[in-house]
Amino acid sequence: MDLATLEENVKADAYPTMEDFIKDTQKIFDNCKLYNAEDTEYAKCSVKLERFFNEKLRAATKT
């Protein structure tokens, strides 16, 4: 899973539930950390993006 595929799936309305979207998004973060060393820019950006995503998700589900 990658961001381009995630975008294609969103545009194609391929996620029947928010949980399905969240699973694929989490898979991107997990794969990035699995396949890139912790000190690489890819892994560092993944951690920042995951944190941002989770903050926005929490904010959106509070209402």
Side-chain angles (χ1 to χ4, degrees):
M1 180 55 62
D2 57 55
L3 290 171
T5 303
L6 186 76
E7 180 182 20
E8 290 172 13
N9 289 345
V10 168
K11 287 180 179 178
D13 201 25
Y15 294 111
T17 67
M18 185 62 138
E19 289 76 24
D20 293 325
F21 171 76
I22 293 168
K23 282 181 192 177
D24 272 357
T25 304
Q26 188 61 52
K27 191 181 298 183
I28 293 170
F29 302 135
D30 293 343
N31 284 345
C32 188
K33 288 181 264 183
L34 179 65
Y35 293 108
N36 296 282
E38 189 176 306
D39 62 340
T40 64
E41 285 301 310
Y42 298 111
K44 290 176 185 178
C45 286
S46 176
V47 169
K48 289 179 185 178
L49 185 57
E50 181 178 16
R51 187 178 308 123
F52 178 79
F53 177 77
N54 288 327
E55 288 171 5
K56 294 300 180 184
L57 187 59
R58 278 191 298 277
T61 57
K62 283 185 179 180
T63 58

